[in-house]
Amino acid sequence: MKTIKIFSSILAIVLLATSVSAQEFVVPQKYSLEKTADYAPYENDVIACATWLETAPVKGEKKKLKAANKFLMQWLTGSPSVTIEINEKIVNFSEVNPELITVFMAGWAKYALENKVSYNEVLANIAGIKSVVKSYNTNLNKGMKQDEAIEKYKELIEHKQITKWVNHMLYN
């Protein structure tokens, strides 16, 4: 019984620390992305940015959201370590909630940076989709509109069919 209490306490501390660090994401200032060597030092910032974007309110902190999106897009545009391929069969939500395209790319980039050795395009797409679903769930009816494509993602994730679906979309 005592072990469960200790484990629960440690888990609570870890979860609290994770949520606090995500909320405290600071967009890098005066960053320079001109040479190939300029990108690697910002990899942890890209990961933190992706995590923050998943739960960032689209109606709040507009200045920070704009700065985070700008930083992420500039980093992705020249990054030698992350390449994102947008498949229109998978990213089919851009008309209803276009801001989620950046969230998708952020989730993909986060996955790519955290899984350099075992990178997989299917799992990168799934990471992007899961980031989109998190942001959508956070912002639905708070600046984001209901979207049938994302509702389908939620169902596929819930029924553990997302991997099969992404494979089908990519390779058929």
Side-chain angles (χ1 to χ4, degrees):
M1 191 66 149
K2 192 172 190 173
T3 305
I4 292 172
K5 286 183 180 180
I6 293 170
F7 177 74
S8 297
S9 297
I10 292 171
L11 182 61
I13 291 168
V14 168
L15 291 174
L16 180 62
T18 302
S19 67
V20 168
S21 67
Q23 292 171 356
E24 293 181 8
F25 167 68
V26 176
V27 180
Q29 301 295 311
K30 298 180 184 176
Y31 50 90
S32 174
L33 300 170
E34 296 174 13
K35 303 177 300 233
T36 301
D38 293 341
Y39 290 82
Y42 292 103
E43 288 181 357
N44 287 334
D45 292 311
V46 170
I47 291 169
C49 181
T51 301
W52 181 76
L53 285 172
E54 290 177 343
T55 58
V58 294
K59 280 195 168 182
E61 297 192 71
K62 288 186 180 198
K63 186 176 179 182
K64 182 176 181 179
L65 192 57
K66 185 177 179 180
N69 285 331
K70 180 181 176 186
F71 162 72
L72 180 71
M73 294 309 294
Q74 286 182 340
W75 189 90
L76 286 172
T77 299
S79 171
S81 61
V82 175
T83 301
I84 297 174
E85 294 181 32
I86 303 288
N87 183 312
E88 63 186 35
K89 293 180 197 172
I90 294 171
V91 181
N92 56 4
F93 49 82
S94 61
E95 288 184 32
V96 178
N97 294 297
E99 63 270 40
L100 288 174
I101 293 172
T102 306
V103 176
F104 176 86
M105 291 189 289
W108 179 308
K110 179 180 174 182
Y111 167 82
L113 292 170
E114 292 177 337
N115 297 279
K116 291 178 183 179
V117 175
S118 60
Y119 176 82
N120 174 300
E121 184 178 4
V122 171
L123 296 178
N125 273 283
I126 292 169
I129 289 168
K130 287 183 175 180
S131 290
V132 165
V133 168
K134 284 182 186 177
S135 180
Y136 176 79
N137 285 339
T138 298
N139 290 292
L140 185 59
N141 299 322
K142 298 175 194 167
M144 203 168 283
K145 300 172 192 149
Q146 185 163 2
D147 186 322
E148 291 305 314
I150 300 172
E151 293 294 333
K152 180 179 179 176
Y153 294 157
K154 289 169 62 172
E155 188 176 309
L156 289 166
I157 292 167
E158 182 181 329
H159 293 103
K160 299 184 185 340
Q161 296 294 310
I162 193 72
T163 303
K164 181 179 177 181
W165 183 81
V166 169
N167 266 305
H168 180 75
M169 292 295 115
L170 289 176
Y171 305 115
N172 288 325

